[in-house]
Structures are given as structure tokens and as C-alpha cells.
Amino acid sequence: MRSFAGLALLVGLSACGSEVEERARPAEPTAAGLVSLSCDGSQGLRPLFARYCSQGRNYMTPEARDALVDAASRLQARYPEAIVRFMDGSGPDGIVPFPPHLSHGDGRQVDLALYYTDTEGHPLADVPDTRNWGGYWPAEPPLPGERVACPEGRSGRAEKPDPPADRPWRLDNGRTKALVEILIADDRVRRVFIEPHLEERFGLWGHSKVRFAGCQAARHDDHIHVDFF
Ligand SMILES: [Zn+2]
């Protein structure tokens, strides 16, 4: 039995190669104590664009990283194809704020992409039409009758247009709501920023961890901002 196990280990090592060994190596924390999020699609996570990793914008505290990995695993238990796509976390140096954000930087925040369907409700594998905004778009504006949080608009660069009414995509309410629910159920998550009309649509109105960032901040119906303890 022992020799079989040894053989299996040898075969495993030779078959893995350097790439897999690289993935398996635990991330060394930076001097600020931050670790990088997985960039290769393993652990149910990947950057929405490669530059979030290549530019070192994917750093988090080990505890926040673990919580996000667990959230991705829980989401895949409900939606096996769902990958959690991240945008900005923090830089490796832990400096707050992390431009262009008003916050981020200490490894306790991350921005996550929403999920979308086509107009007939079939899930889309990726986020549509985001090249100009790096994933911080397209927004899911209020439907007729839903709450409008900033009727006067937002200040400065925080203002972004609604997508066109004839757009070929819609928000995937199921997957997006599931991710928010999984996050706020985790004791390591302090709060989640989404727009009030989504908070209401998802049946989460008044939840102590679901917050509105305000009209001075970027709109949060195009991404989910997560704060960890
Ligand atoms: Zn954010």
C-alpha cells in the first residue's frame, strides 16, 4: 500500500509540471500582509480583465481572500458554471485610498461583476460591452416603478449613463442575488454596496449589511462592492 501511494505521488508530481506547482504554492503575503487573488480561474475566481492581476490590483487580506473563495464555492454549488469575476481589490502596499476609489487599499474591499442574461433569459458567460469601463458597467437601471436613488444624478466622474433600452442583455437577477445573499450570510463580510432598487428587487430591503454608497459615490448597479472585516 505504501509503495502504491509513493508511486501515485511520483506520477502526480511528474504529471503536474511547473504550472500546476506554481498554482499550488501558497501565496506569500506582501510586507503589508496582503495576498493576491487567484488569477487563473481556479478557486472559482478570475479577474474580469487580466490587467487587474498584471497591474497588481488584486490584493486582499488572507481572511478576505478566504471568504471570497468560500463565496465562489457556495455560488458554484447553486450555479456550477458561475465564476466570481473581480475587478479592483487593493494594491500590494496596503495604502488607503486606492485610486480611483474613495476607499479600497487595505485589502478589505473588492469589486465584483454582476451576472447577465440575453433578452430571453439565457445566462451569458461574460459581462457584455465593458471595454470602456473595465467592468464597471453596464449598469442595471431601475425598472419602471422601482426606486430611483439619485434623481438629480451623481457628482463628477461618479455619473455614468444608463445602458440603451434596446440593449441585447439584461441583469441575471438569480445569479446576482445569489452572490449577494451568500456574501451577506458570511460573518467575515461587513457590508455590501448595491443600489437601492436592486436591494429592493432582491428582497433584501433594510438588511443591515446591504448599504447604499450615496450619490457622491460611483453607481453600484454595475458592480458589487464588498467590505470585509
Ligand atoms: Zn469598490
Side-chain angles (χ1 to χ4, degrees):
M1 192 64 189
R2 186 180 299 162
S3 62
F4 176 79
L7 180 63
L9 179 62
L10 280 172
V11 170
L13 283 175
S14 61
C16 280
S18 60
E19 187 184 346
V20 175
E21 287 173 23
E22 182 75 24
R23 286 183 199 167
R25 188 181 304 152
E28 288 292 326
T30 66
L34 304 184
V35 294
S36 56
L37 291 176
S38 165
C39 298
D40 59 8
S42 64
Q43 299 184 307
L45 303 174
R46 71 173 165 82
L48 188 57
F49 292 101
R51 67 173 180 272
Y52 290 112
C53 285
S54 63
Q55 296 177 2
R57 305 182 72 86
N58 61 325
Y59 284 83
M60 300 189 74
T61 66
E63 296 78 13
R65 187 267 316 272
D66 291 349
L68 193 59
V69 169
D70 288 348
S73 173
R74 289 172 185 143
L75 185 68
Q76 286 192 331
R78 291 170 64 175
Y79 298 91
E81 305 301 321
I83 297 283
V84 171
R85 284 88 41 99
F86 59 85
M87 285 92 82
D88 273 344
S90 294
D93 51 18
I95 295 174
V96 179
F98 184 51
H101 303 274
L102 302 174
S103 63
H104 288 248
D106 65 1
R108 291 182 167 82
Q109 301 85 15
V110 71
D111 293 329
L112 304 177
L114 308 183
Y115 296 94
Y116 300 86
T117 69
D118 63 19
T119 53
E120 296 181 336
H122 303 117
L124 295 178
D126 222 328
V127 175
D129 196 28
T130 59
R131 290 179 297 281
N132 291 340
W133 301 100
Y136 293 89
W137 209 74
E140 169 70 7
L143 298 170
E146 285 188 331
R147 194 178 296 263
V148 176
C150 301
E152 308 300 323
R154 292 163 201 271
S155 50
R157 291 186 59 201
E159 184 68 304
K160 266 192 222 160
D162 285 349
D166 63 351
R167 62 192 179 278
W169 67 83
R170 296 290 183 269
L171 184 71
D172 185 336
N173 289 304
R175 285 187 294 174
T176 307
K177 176 184 175 183
L179 179 57
V180 173
E181 287 179 329
I182 287 166
L183 288 165
I184 60 179
D186 192 314
D187 288 343
R188 295 165 291 185
V189 171
R190 179 172 164 237
R191 58 186 180 175
V192 169
F193 285 159
I194 56 174
E195 290 297 295
H197 64 279
L198 295 182
E199 177 179 349
E200 203 163 39
R201 189 188 303 180
F202 293 164
L204 298 171
W205 187 253
H207 192 290
S208 61
K209 289 190 182 179
V210 180
R211 305 286 184 83
F212 173 47
C215 296
Q216 83 292 344
R219 61 191 297 169
H220 287 82
D221 54 2
D222 59 357
H223 72 285
I224 302 166
H225 168 103
V226 191
D227 276 351
F228 297 87
F229 283 108

